[in-house]
Amino acid sequence: MRLLLSALLRKPLRTLLTVVSIALALFLYCFLESVLYAFNVGVSMSSASRLVVQHKESLAFQIPISYRSSIRQCEGVSAAVPMVWFGGLYKPKDATGEVREEFFAQFAVEMQEYLSIVPEVVVRDREQLRALLADQAGCVVGDKTAERLNIRVGDRIVLRSQIWNQPGNKPWAFNVRAIYTSDSPSFDRTMMLFHYKYFDEGREFGKGMIGIFLMSIQNPDRFQEIATAIDRRFENSPFETKTVTEKAFNMQFVQMMGNLQLLLRSIGSAIVLTMLLVAANTMMMSARDKTREMGILKSIGFTDAYVFRLLIGESLVVAALGYALGAGLAYGLFNLAEVNPKPDFFPIFTMPREALLGALGIAALTGVLSGIVPALAGMRLKATEALRSV
Amino acid sequence: MPEPIIQLRDCTKVYHKGGERILPLDRLSLDIEEGDFVALMGPSGSGKTTLLNLIGGLDSPDEGGLIVCGQNLAELSPRGLARWRSRHVAYVFQSFNLLPVLTAFQNVELPLTLMPLSKAERRRHVETALRIVGLGARMHHRPDELSGGQEQRVAIARALACDPRLLLADEPTGDLDAQSAQEVMDLLTALNREHGKTIIVVTHDPKVAQCARRQLHLEKGVLARDTASEPARRGGA
């Protein structure tokens, strides 16, 4: 152990730089995996017992709210909640009095029914919940957005939608009646939800039309049968529907960014690989510098196997330190300190466990690959040759 | 009569360099008694270091037999040879070859980590070895905090720590000034006389060779002369 330590401290600056370069590469890997996870998290938070009814052609088209009663009549459907994407911008003033634009997801929903079929949305304070249901202009905001934008219960917030206008181009005003949180770590805690009725009465156009119905079904195993029955009901109507699982619905958004993800992964992988190759090369050079020391150890009586273990051990320790630093920093930042580099774009930004394991695998591979060649050479090296080297 | 500690019989070593066949040792036969102090001399390329490496088990002859400390080295596996070396042989090199990040104490302790000794026993051995070489007060210094002569004395202490029967020194004074060289040779002489260590020194320096009892002159891989040094013989008598 002392020899291993001494080998690492022989050129401390080189060891430090090697550790830092591995740490940087692994941090980058963890960050990249966290970004990709953030893209996909909507899929993982989907419930198997929820379906989504949307326009057959595209989400850009609306469907009438009058379909609701027809959908509810389908066997196996327990609830159908209308939802409309609001697309509003929040423009609070900061401490210096400057106005800034903030974005977060907002939906107009049938509140009571929505809360009953999406139990992931948790309003802990019963008073807040009562006030939310009682106030038609009330809204509930996710705790992460509330914290980020310093929104409190009782605040009146004003949004300007990029889609929906009120007569006279009046901005939309809402009363913050509740803050929600979630017990599910993968559920979006950045949304704002408000009453569909308030929205529908206020909007200038599109009245009676909604974006999607979020449905809950009694038996998730029957989703195909139910989806087919609903879509058949609206066949040949002006607004044909497509019914999919919540997971498949969320997957559409991920697939829209398919090439972006591939691009990100390719560029990231190339950078990580390059940095690791540089680190591995440095570690191999460091091992080659120790040829004479290997000769000394062998002349003293240390075995070939010991020399092998020493050299591979050094590489593994350097890689392990790089892992601890890089992955540890990423874990600390994204999972403990909950740093989100783009909170308005990524509702959830955490490093998945798979990234930690992946980084561990990369670190182990770097350690073994960079150590195996000099370790084998060191093991086979004859002491007489080693002692002749300068 | 006791058996010699080193017995070489028709030992030949061959190297091939650029298609050329080099014979650093050519059917060399030699006996060295236990407790002897031998200087190996000769021009560069005469086979001195090759012979030292064969005796220390760092290299093996291509032909011939070699028995050191009662062990036929050809019978040992590489692992067995390493274990044998750690118990019976110690090296002192021209360039000291201390590990730079370890203190004098830790450098001397290094070969002892291969022995089944407790920490306290290791400490005792290290302190004894450093006291013998006169560096008891500098045991926590790193090599770069020591003079060349002191570094070589630490290297000798490292060689002594395991109490080997055989001490092999390859030009141990080559990198030292005259005074340090004399101190090192005095130390080796004392180890030979007072502790009964068998010492073989490779050297170009006639002054160093004079400290030895026996001088072996190699030329082109064969023993050209085998002489006894009078002062050493008188001193030993």
Side-chain angles (χ1 to χ4, degrees):
Chain A
M1 193 60 204
R2 183 186 290 158
L3 271 180
L4 192 64
L5 202 64
S6 74
L8 290 171
L9 295 176
R10 189 169 179 258
K11 290 196 173 165
L13 184 63
R14 180 162 68 183
T15 304
L16 180 72
L17 291 176
T18 312
V19 168
V20 168
S21 63
I22 292 175
L24 268 178
L26 294 178
F27 177 81
L28 196 64
Y29 167 82
C30 291
F31 176 70
L32 185 74
E33 286 300 316
S34 305
V35 170
L36 294 174
Y37 178 73
F39 275 126
N40 291 291
V41 74
V43 178
S44 64
M45 74 181 186
S46 313
S47 164
S49 65
R50 290 197 292 256
L51 301 185
V52 174
V53 183
Q54 65 172 80
H55 195 284
K56 188 179 179 182
E57 300 303 327
S58 161
L59 264 175
F61 300 117
Q62 306 265 298
I63 50 177
I65 194 164
S66 57
Y67 280 10
R68 190 182 187 189
S69 54
S70 188
I71 290 170
R72 274 172 162 170
Q73 282 164 15
C74 282
E75 199 198 331
V77 175
S78 47
V81 181
M83 287 181 77
V84 184
W85 171 256
F86 185 69
L89 283 176
Y90 179 48
K91 297 183 177 180
K93 282 184 183 171
D94 62 18
T96 61
E98 210 166 291
V99 176
R100 60 182 205 277
E101 277 191 355
E102 295 290 350
F103 176 79
F104 49 93
Q106 306 111 15
F107 293 96
V109 298
E110 188 73 61
M111 192 65 75
Q112 193 149 18
E113 203 163 3
Y114 178 87
L115 294 177
S116 71
I117 70 165
V118 186
E120 292 94 329
V121 172
V122 178
V123 179
R124 297 207 195 279
D125 189 321
R126 284 178 176 272
E127 276 308 311
Q128 286 184 14
L129 186 60
R130 235 190 313 271
L132 172 68
L133 295 175
D135 182 0
Q136 280 305 297
C139 69
V140 57
V141 179
D143 57 352
K144 286 201 169 172
T145 293
E147 191 183 332
R148 181 168 74 88
L149 301 176
N150 198 24
I151 294 172
R152 294 192 202 96
V153 172
D155 284 358
R156 187 167 173 80
I157 60 172
V158 175
L159 301 181
R160 202 169 272 283
S161 173
Q162 295 161 305
I163 309 165
W164 308 105
N165 290 332
Q166 292 200 93
N169 205 18
K170 240 173 37 180
W172 295 81
F174 301 92
N175 303 318
V176 179
R177 294 298 178 199
I179 302 292
Y180 80 84
T181 185
S182 181
D183 297 326
S184 163
S186 59
F187 191 80
D188 186 353
R189 284 155 60 194
T190 66
M191 295 185 295
M192 171 184 155
L193 305 166
F194 54 91
H195 295 281
Y196 170 75
K197 195 174 172 205
Y198 174 71
F199 163 73
D200 196 49
E201 285 171 359
R203 63 179 158 174
E204 197 172 26
F205 61 92
K207 286 182 189 291
M209 301 298 284
I210 57 124
I212 58 167
F213 284 108
L214 182 66
M215 296 176 346
S216 81
I217 54 173
Q218 287 147 6
N219 183 359
D221 294 338
R222 288 185 57 209
F223 85 89
Q224 192 59 61
E225 184 192 328
I226 295 168
T228 308
I230 292 170
D231 293 342
R232 194 167 293 152
R233 218 168 253 239
F234 304 114
E235 236 171 20
N236 300 318
S237 74
F239 305 99
E240 289 188 295
T241 60
K242 182 170 83 173
T243 306
V244 292
T245 59
E246 190 181 34
K247 188 171 190 170
F249 177 76
N250 288 330
M251 187 66 91
Q252 292 178 88
F253 300 100
V254 176
Q255 281 165 348
M256 281 177 200
M257 292 184 243
N259 287 337
L260 178 67
Q261 287 196 59
L262 181 71
L263 191 70
L264 264 179
R265 197 179 276 278
S266 309
I267 295 170
S269 303
I271 295 169
V272 169
L273 191 69
T274 308
M275 291 177 84
L276 288 176
L277 282 176
V278 170
N281 184 45
T282 312
M283 284 153 81
M284 285 193 212
M285 276 167 57
S286 161
R288 276 198 294 275
D289 285 353
K290 295 194 183 74
T291 304
R292 194 172 179 85
E293 280 177 29
M294 296 305 115
I296 298 168
L297 291 178
K298 288 189 178 188
S299 74
I300 286 173
F302 285 89
T303 59
D304 294 341
Y306 184 94
V307 168
F308 176 86
R309 286 199 300 272
L310 188 67
L311 287 171
I312 197 109
E314 189 188 335
S315 298
L316 286 173
V317 167
V318 168
L321 288 174
Y323 170 73
L325 193 64
L329 183 67
Y331 186 82
L333 274 180
F334 306 136
N335 291 29
L336 299 181
E338 296 187 358
V339 171
N340 185 339
K342 195 86 176 98
D344 53 347
F345 191 71
F346 297 122
I348 295 168
F349 196 89
T350 56
M351 184 169 70
R353 192 183 302 163
E354 291 75 13
L356 267 182
L357 292 175
L360 183 65
I362 292 172
L365 200 66
T366 307
V368 170
L369 288 183
S370 58
I372 194 81
V373 175
L376 283 173
M379 189 176 80
R380 290 176 189 146
L381 184 75
K382 288 180 78 174
T384 48
E385 287 167 14
L387 291 169
R388 267 202 295 272
S389 74
V390 179
Chain B
M1 192 168 165
E3 207 170 70
I5 191 169
I6 297 164
Q7 299 174 65
L8 269 92
R9 293 290 174 267
D10 295 322
C11 277
T12 298
K13 185 72 193 171
V14 185
Y15 291 126
H16 294 276
K17 196 174 179 183
E20 193 186 346
R21 190 169 180 264
I22 300 166
L23 265 178
L25 288 182
D26 188 5
R27 284 179 295 163
L28 183 71
S29 292
L30 182 68
D31 283 349
I32 294 175
E33 304 299 329
E34 178 133 34
D36 212 346
F37 190 161
V38 178
L40 283 179
M41 301 187 73
S44 295
S46 60
K48 306 181 296 293
T49 299
T50 304
L51 177 58
L52 204 70
N53 289 338
L54 290 187
I55 293 169
L58 290 179
D59 209 346
S60 54
D62 294 306
E63 285 172 29
L66 175 62
I67 296 173
V68 183
C69 300
Q71 175 68 52
N72 184 348
L73 300 190
E75 291 171 353
L76 293 174
S77 65
R79 191 183 173 82
L81 203 54
R83 197 177 299 134
W84 171 84
R85 207 162 38 235
S86 70
R87 287 179 188 161
H88 298 287
V89 186
Y91 270 89
V92 175
F93 302 96
Q94 177 179 349
S95 49
F96 327 133
N97 285 341
L98 300 176
L99 297 187
V101 290
L102 300 184
T103 62
F105 184 96
Q106 290 165 340
N107 265 291
V108 177
E109 194 185 20
L110 203 55
L112 292 169
T113 57
L114 296 168
M115 306 274 176
L117 296 173
S118 68
K119 204 174 171 185
E121 286 172 315
R122 283 209 304 269
R123 184 171 192 86
R124 207 171 53 243
H125 280 269
V126 174
E127 286 172 353
T128 306
L130 283 169
R131 225 182 359 258
I132 288 172
V133 301
L135 284 176
R138 312 212 68 170
M139 60 175 73
H140 299 300
H141 289 243
R142 291 223 163 86
D144 58 2
E145 297 164 341
L146 300 171
S147 69
Q150 286 171 331
E151 277 193 78
Q152 192 59 296
R153 281 194 277 158
V154 174
I156 293 171
R158 181 177 66 187
L160 286 178
C162 291
D163 195 22
R165 291 170 69 186
L166 194 55
L167 206 154
L168 307 175
D170 194 353
E171 304 212 37
T173 59
D175 281 0
L176 300 177
D177 59 59
Q179 191 188 334
S180 299
Q182 188 55 54
E183 283 171 9
V184 165
M185 288 318 296
D186 288 346
L187 181 59
L188 291 178
T189 307
L191 289 173
N192 173 251
R193 287 184 188 164
E194 291 160 24
H195 298 269
K197 302 292 176 199
T198 306
I199 298 177
I200 302 174
V201 178
V202 167
T203 185
H204 288 284
D205 186 346
K207 277 187 189 166
V208 170
Q210 275 174 8
C211 296
R213 288 180 188 166
R214 188 178 171 195
Q215 295 161 357
L216 302 176
H217 290 259
L218 294 179
E219 273 176 35
K220 294 181 180 172
V222 297
L223 190 59
R225 262 180 298 151
D226 181 352
T227 55
S229 167
E230 286 303 319
R233 191 168 271 180
R234 263 201 312 274

